[in-house]
Amino acid sequence: MTTDNLRNIPVLGKLWERIEAMPPPVTEDSWLLRILVQLLVIVGIVATDVAAEEALNLWAVPVSIVGATWSWYRRRDRNVAAKFCIAIGMLVALFAFFTRLVGELNDTRLVLAQLLINIQVLHSFDLPRRKDLGYSIVIGLILLSVAATISQTLTFGPFLLAFLALALPTLVLDYRSRLGLSKAENIPAAAEAREKKNNWSLFTATLSPKYLSWLLSIAVGLGLTIFAFLPRLPGYQLRTFPVSAPIEYQGEFDERSIVNPGYVRGGNEEGTGGGRGRNPETGPGEVDSTFYYGFNQRINQNLRGELKPQVVMRVRSQAAGFWRVLGFDKYTGQGWEISRNDDAFKVNRPRWSYQFYLNPYPNAPRFQEVIQSYTILAQLPNLIPALNKPKELYFPTQEVAIDAEGGLRSPVELADGLTYTVISNVPFRDRSLLGKTGTNYPKNIRKFYLDVPPKIAKKVREKTEEILLARTRVSQSDRAIDSPYEKALYLAQYLKQNPNYKIVKALPYLEESEDLVESFLFGYQKTQDGKKVTGGYPDHFSTVLTIMLRSIGIPARMAGGFDTGEFNPFTGLYIVKNTDAFLMTEVYFPNNGWFGFNPIPGYPLIPASVEDNQTFSALESFWKWIAGWLPTPLRSGFDSVISFVIGWISLILGWFLGQFAKGWVGLFTGLISAIGFGLIGWLIWQGWRKWRYRRWLGKLPPVEGVYQEMLKDLASRGFAKQKAQTPLEYAEAMRRDRATDEAEVIEEVSQAYVRWKYGGEAGNLSQLRQLVENLRRSHLKKLKKRWF
C-alpha cells in the first residue's frame, strides 16, 4: 500500500494532514551527543542480559544502532509513514508484554525491562529532537537500575562504571545543547565542515580526559561512601519478595522423603562423587565429593574423605546466621537419624500467592524478624535452608512440608537457578537470661532429647562430670557450674581447645561394635603406629558434645546446615559453598527454645546471629572486608586509631565551635586548650587502662595471668590472638611470623598454659614470668636499634 492510498483513508488522511501541517521539529545536530546516548542504551541492554544470565535482548543492540543511524540521516524529514509503523510496533510490544506478564507474575522486573528495550528499539528510528534523546537516556538508566536489582555478582560493577563514565559527558553536552551553546552564531550555512569540528572542540574544552577522570573518581568515591554509611533499617518496605516461577511436579508429594543424590540406596555404588562405597547409610565408606553427607534422614559418620569446594547458593539477608537445613534427635552409635520422620506434615499455599504460613508464634521472649532471599547455584537435596524459627516462606511449589525437628522440605530437589525467600523470627541470645532458665523440661523434650546408648551412658557421664569438676578446681572457686547454659558453653569450649582432641584427617574406620563418642573420647580400637587415636572429623565434635550434654540431663540435638559464608560488601550477598556445611549442637532452654553451640575447632563458639543494632552493618562488613586484606600490624593500628577518634570527635567539635563564637582570641585559645587537654586526657586514659589491666591480671590464676600478659604484649605489636584459635594453634601461627627464639618462647608458655588448664599442672611460674619478660625486652631492644 502506497502513501497515497493511506491518505485516502478518512481517519488516517486527516491525521496525516495535521501532522504535515505541524511546524518542523528543532533537530539535534550534535552527532557526538547522539553517539554517547546510543552507548548508554547499549550498556543498559547488555547489563540487563548479563545480570539475568540470559542472552535474550542482545539482538536489540545492532537493531537500535541501525535505527539511530537512520534517524540521524532523516532527522530533518517528517517521516510520517515511519511514525505510523512505530505506533503499530509499540502496540504489538504492549500486547507481548501483557501476554508474558500473565505467566510471570512472580517477578515482573525482566518483563518490564524487555518492554522498555522493545520500545527503545522502535524509538531509535525517530530521534530528531534533543527531547527524544533524553527519553533514550532515561530508558538506559532504568535498564541499568533493573540490572542492579537482579545482579548477584560483581560482573555488574564494570557496567555501572561504564555507564557513569558515559553519562558525565552526555549530561554536559545535553546541558550545553539546552543553552544553545552547541550552535555558533553568524556562521554561513555553507560552512558545514567548520560546524562539524565545532562539536568536538566544545567537548574537549568542557571535558578534557584529565578533568573527566577526576570527576569520575570523585563521583565513584562519593557513591561508595554513601553506600557504606547508608543505614540498613530493619524490615523491607515492600512485602513482595524474589521467588522463582511456579514449579509443577509429577506424582504425589511424599513429605517423609529426603532426596540426597550423594547417598547410596539399594546397593548402588556409583554416583556423582565417584569412589567405592560412596555415602552408604551404614558401615564404612567414602563421602560424596559434591553432596554433603549430613543432609539425609539417616546419616552415617563412619565415612571418610572430603568435599570438593563448590559454590551452592547466594543469600541476601538482613543478618548473618547459620542457614539451618534439618535436625536429628536419635543417636545410632555411628551417626544420627530423624526418629519421627513420619510426623512430617504438609503445608499448602493459595494459588494466587507464593506465601506459606509456617510458625508465626516464636517461643522466645525476645526476637527479631529477619528476611532472607536464597538463590541456588548448584543442585541441593529437597531440604530448604533457612534461619532459625522460620514463620513465612515464599516458595514456587504448591506445597512444602515441615518435619518434627523444624526442617523445611520441598517436593522437588533444589535446582540451579531456584530463588525463594524466608522470614524468620530469630531469637536473641541473652546469656544472663538463658543462665536462669532452670531444668523444668517439658515431657516431650525429655522423651526424645535425653537418650544415650546404655553401653556408653555411664562412661560418658563420668567423663563429663570429671571435666566440669576439674574446671571448678582450676578456677579455684568453691562454686560449681550449676547452669545448663554455662555447662554447655564450657563443654563446647573444652572440646574446641583441648589438645587431646584434634581434627584427625587420617581417621581409622569404626568397627561394627564401636561407638563414635566412646572412640572419640577414649581412643579408637585401631591404632596408628601403636598409639591410640582420639579426636575425629569436625562433625564428630558436635556429636560428642550432644551426647555429653544428654548424659548429664541437658536436652540436646544435632542440627545440620551451612555456615554464613563469605560476605561480599559490594553485592550485599553471602557466598555459600558446599564446604560450609557442618553439624552443630542445639541445646533446649525452657521458655526460650533451641540455641546452637559449635565445638568444632576453627569456628566461633557461638554461631552468628542477630544483634541489637545492625543499622550500619554494611559499613561494619565493608571495614572487615578491607581489614582482611591488610597486614595484621596495620589492621591493629587502624583499629586503635578509629576507636580513639570516634570517642573524642563529638566532644572536640562541640567545644571548638563554642570557642569560635568568641572571636579570634577564643579561636586561638580553644585550639591551644584543645591540644593540651587532649594530651592530658590521653595520658589519663592510658594510665587507667593499665591500672585496670593489672587489676584484672591479679584476679586470674597465676599461670593464666602469665599467659594473658604474653598475649597482651603480642597484641600490642599487631599479632592479636583470634577468638576461634586455640592456644596451640596460635603458637603454631606465631612460628610462621616471628623469629625462632621468640616463637619457641611463645610455644613454651602456651604449652604450660594448656597443661595447667586441662591437666592442673602449675609449672614453674618464675621461669614462665622470666620468659615473658625476656620476650618483651627483646622487642624493645629491636625498636631502639631501629630508631637510633
Side-chain angles (χ1 to χ4, degrees):
M1 182 179 291
T2 63
T3 56
D4 292 333
N5 293 331
L6 290 175
R7 291 170 183 267
N8 295 328
I9 300 175
V11 177
L12 293 181
K14 293 183 179 180
L15 183 59
W16 197 296
E17 292 176 359
R18 292 185 61 181
I19 293 176
E20 286 186 331
M22 295 174 62
V26 179
T27 60
E28 176 57 60
D29 295 325
S30 173
W31 58 267
L32 185 58
L33 177 58
R34 288 175 175 270
I35 291 175
L36 289 174
V37 171
Q38 183 61 35
L39 290 176
L40 285 177
V41 173
I42 291 174
V43 169
I45 294 173
V46 177
T48 304
D49 271 10
V50 170
E53 299 180 354
E54 297 177 353
L56 296 177
N57 304 299
L58 290 180
W59 62 269
V61 174
V63 177
S64 63
I65 293 175
V66 171
T69 305
W70 187 87
S71 180
W72 162 258
Y73 286 106
R74 299 294 299 268
R75 66 186 184 278
R76 302 187 188 281
D77 300 331
R78 294 187 180 277
N79 303 316
V80 178
K83 293 181 187 294
F84 275 103
C85 293
I86 291 172
I88 295 172
M90 287 188 174
L91 290 176
V92 174
L94 188 63
F95 175 78
F97 164 72
F98 283 114
T99 302
R100 188 178 175 190
L101 183 65
V102 173
E104 299 187 21
L105 288 174
N106 55 297
D107 192 348
T108 60
R109 292 173 294 179
L110 285 178
V111 182
L112 291 170
Q114 192 164 28
L115 173 64
L116 286 176
I117 291 172
N118 293 335
I119 291 177
Q120 171 58 30
V121 169
L122 295 169
H123 179 61
S124 65
F125 286 87
D126 186 29
L127 299 173
R129 300 170 299 176
R130 182 183 63 250
K131 183 187 295 185
D132 299 317
L133 296 174
Y135 295 149
S136 295
I137 295 175
V138 172
I139 290 177
L141 181 61
I142 294 174
L143 291 176
L144 190 77
S145 302
V146 172
T149 63
I150 297 173
S151 176
Q152 295 186 348
T153 65
L154 287 178
T155 54
F156 171 73
F159 292 99
L160 179 61
L161 293 176
F163 191 90
L164 182 59
L166 293 170
L168 293 176
T170 302
L171 293 176
V172 170
L173 289 176
D174 180 76
Y175 184 66
R176 294 181 67 89
S177 177
R178 291 174 187 273
L179 296 178
L181 298 179
S182 60
K183 294 183 179 181
E185 296 181 358
N186 302 321
I187 296 179
E192 185 176 354
R194 188 177 176 184
E195 183 180 353
K196 290 181 178 179
K197 292 182 180 179
N198 189 43
N199 285 319
W200 179 253
S201 62
L202 285 172
F203 173 71
T204 54
T206 307
L207 286 180
S208 64
K210 181 179 179 181
Y211 182 72
L212 177 61
S213 300
W214 275 107
L215 190 60
L216 180 63
S217 301
I218 293 173
V220 172
L222 184 62
L224 288 175
T225 303
I226 295 174
F227 171 79
F229 284 90
L230 193 67
R232 267 61 176 173
L233 301 176
Y236 284 5
Q237 298 300 319
L238 300 177
R239 306 298 288 191
T240 302
F241 304 116
V243 185
S244 296
I247 297 177
E248 302 294 337
Y249 51 92
Q250 302 295 326
E252 182 71 15
F253 172 30
D254 183 4
E255 67 273 18
R256 299 167 300 175
S257 174
I258 296 178
V259 182
N260 186 337
Y263 262 91
V264 173
R265 289 180 177 84
N268 178 22
E269 296 283 332
E270 300 178 358
T272 59
R276 182 184 60 82
R278 178 183 56 85
N279 274 16
E281 293 188 338
T282 57
E286 298 176 6
V287 298
D288 186 277
S289 61
T290 303
F291 297 96
Y292 178 59
Y293 81 100
F295 298 155
N296 201 44
Q297 177 187 344
R298 180 186 178 94
I299 65 171
N300 178 13
Q301 294 191 290
N302 195 17
L303 303 176
R304 305 296 178 257
E306 58 185 14
L307 293 168
K308 295 179 181 178
Q310 178 186 18
V311 177
V312 294
M313 64 181 181
R314 301 190 191 104
V315 184
R316 187 184 302 278
S317 175
Q318 295 173 315
F322 175 67
W323 318 121
R324 190 178 187 276
V325 175
L326 78 173
F328 302 94
D329 63 328
K330 184 177 180 180
Y331 176 59
T332 62
Q334 295 185 5
W336 292 85
E337 69 176 353
I338 305 173
S339 66
R340 294 176 290 168
N341 190 58
D342 291 342
D343 292 346
F345 60 93
K346 297 179 184 179
V347 179
N348 293 288
R349 63 169 175 83
R351 292 196 172 273
W352 60 85
S353 172
Y354 291 89
Q355 185 179 29
F356 293 90
Y357 289 96
L358 306 176
N359 181 20
Y361 305 108
N363 53 4
R366 187 175 175 222
F367 60 89
Q368 178 175 311
E369 182 181 273
V370 179
I371 302 173
Q372 322 116 59
S373 293
Y374 299 80
T375 299
I376 306 302
L377 303 178
Q379 184 183 12
L380 291 176
N382 64 321
L383 301 170
I384 304 174
L387 280 182
N388 190 23
K389 301 300 292 184
K391 71 167 186 175
E392 295 178 30
L393 171 67
Y394 295 79
F395 202 77
T397 60
Q398 188 59 40
E399 52 188 354
V400 296
I402 306 176
D403 63 33
E405 307 304 328
L408 304 178
R409 302 181 184 180
S410 164
V412 295
E413 297 177 34
L414 307 190
D416 180 13
L418 175 69
T419 299
Y420 67 93
T421 299
V422 182
I423 304 178
S424 300
N425 284 333
V426 181
F428 279 91
R429 192 184 193 110
D430 188 333
R431 181 172 179 176
S432 60
L433 179 63
L434 294 176
K436 302 174 183 177
T437 54
T439 58
N440 185 23
Y441 303 116
K443 181 179 179 181
N444 196 50
I445 296 295
R446 294 196 306 269
K447 180 179 179 182
F448 293 102
Y449 303 109
L450 291 175
D451 181 54
V452 180
K455 72 172 186 176
I456 67 167
K458 181 180 179 181
K459 197 173 182 179
V460 174
R461 183 178 65 253
E462 291 175 350
K463 178 65 175 179
T464 305
E465 292 173 346
E466 176 187 338
I467 293 170
L468 295 174
L469 184 61
R471 186 265 183 191
T472 304
R473 289 198 305 266
V474 169
S475 61
Q476 299 179 356
S477 173
D478 296 332
R479 184 172 176 269
I481 305 177
D482 55 0
S483 164
Y485 185 87
E486 296 300 327
K487 289 180 180 179
L489 199 64
Y490 179 75
L491 289 173
Q493 191 172 22
Y494 175 87
L495 292 175
K496 179 188 289 287
Q497 296 185 352
N498 195 315
N500 295 324
Y501 306 122
K502 301 179 180 179
I503 294 178
V504 183
K505 293 184 178 180
L507 194 67
Y509 284 109
L510 292 168
E511 299 293 339
E512 186 176 354
S513 59
E514 271 188 285
D515 184 273
L516 171 63
V517 175
E518 184 180 22
S519 300
F520 183 100
L521 292 174
F522 306 105
Y524 287 75
Q525 291 181 13
K526 292 182 179 180
T527 61
Q528 291 180 349
D529 300 327
K531 297 180 180 179
K532 278 281 188 180
V533 178
T534 57
Y537 278 6
D539 288 348
H540 296 177
F541 284 78
S542 301
T543 293
V544 172
L545 176 61
T546 304
I547 299 303
M548 291 176 75
L549 290 171
R550 288 185 175 190
S551 71
I552 57 175
I554 299 177
R557 69 183 180 188
M558 289 285 277
F562 293 96
D563 195 17
T564 304
E566 181 182 355
F567 180 74
N568 187 327
F570 295 102
T571 62
L573 297 170
Y574 295 95
I575 310 302
V576 183
K577 300 180 180 179
N578 57 349
T579 50
D580 291 321
F582 68 97
L583 298 176
M584 179 177 62
T585 299
E586 288 185 339
V587 182
Y588 181 81
F589 299 96
N591 301 318
N592 286 269
W594 298 89
F595 287 86
F597 294 83
N598 191 353
I600 302 175
Y603 284 82
L605 185 64
I606 304 300
S609 187
V610 294
E611 299 174 354
D612 287 338
N613 186 1
Q614 293 184 326
T615 304
F616 295 97
S617 58
L619 179 61
E620 180 183 357
S621 300
F622 189 73
W623 165 246
K624 288 181 179 179
W625 180 80
I626 293 177
W629 292 88
L630 299 176
T632 304
L634 186 61
R635 182 172 67 246
S636 178
F638 271 122
D639 288 338
S640 301
V641 170
I642 291 174
S643 300
F644 176 78
V645 170
I646 291 178
W648 286 91
I649 190 169
S650 59
L651 180 62
I652 293 175
L653 284 177
W655 185 85
F656 176 78
L657 291 176
Q659 294 296 320
F660 184 79
K662 298 178 182 179
W664 289 105
V665 176
L667 176 61
F668 284 110
T669 302
L671 288 175
I672 295 172
S673 301
I675 294 172
F677 281 115
L679 178 61
I680 294 172
W682 181 79
L683 293 174
I684 294 174
W685 169 255
Q686 293 297 320
W688 179 78
R689 287 187 63 187
K690 290 182 179 179
W691 170 81
R692 190 164 172 260
Y693 174 69
R694 292 295 175 187
R695 185 183 178 191
W696 175 70
L697 281 181
K699 293 181 179 180
L700 295 176
V703 177
E704 186 174 2
V706 175
Y707 179 72
Q708 292 294 337
E709 193 170 2
M710 181 189 71
L711 292 182
K712 178 71 174 179
D713 178 57
L714 292 172
S716 66
R717 308 184 204 178
F719 299 96
K721 177 179 176 294
Q722 302 298 320
K723 291 183 179 180
Q725 284 181 312
T726 66
L728 297 183
E729 287 174 347
Y730 177 67
E732 181 64 26
M734 288 297 99
R735 182 176 290 277
R736 295 191 297 267
D737 296 331
R738 310 303 301 158
T740 305
D741 54 344
E742 291 186 352
E744 290 177 352
V745 171
I746 296 171
E747 184 172 6
E748 186 172 348
V749 175
S750 300
Q751 290 282 3
Y753 171 71
V754 170
R755 288 194 298 269
W756 163 80
K757 187 173 181 64
Y758 300 107
E761 182 180 340
N764 191 335
L765 288 175
S766 59
Q767 181 183 356
L768 293 176
R769 290 194 177 99
Q770 187 62 42
L771 288 173
V772 174
E773 180 64 18
N774 293 341
L775 186 66
R776 186 181 67 83
R777 288 179 179 177
S778 66
H779 178 61
L780 292 177
K781 288 180 181 179
K782 291 180 181 179
L783 290 178
K784 288 180 180 179
K785 290 181 180 179
R786 187 181 303 171
W787 291 342
F788 303 102

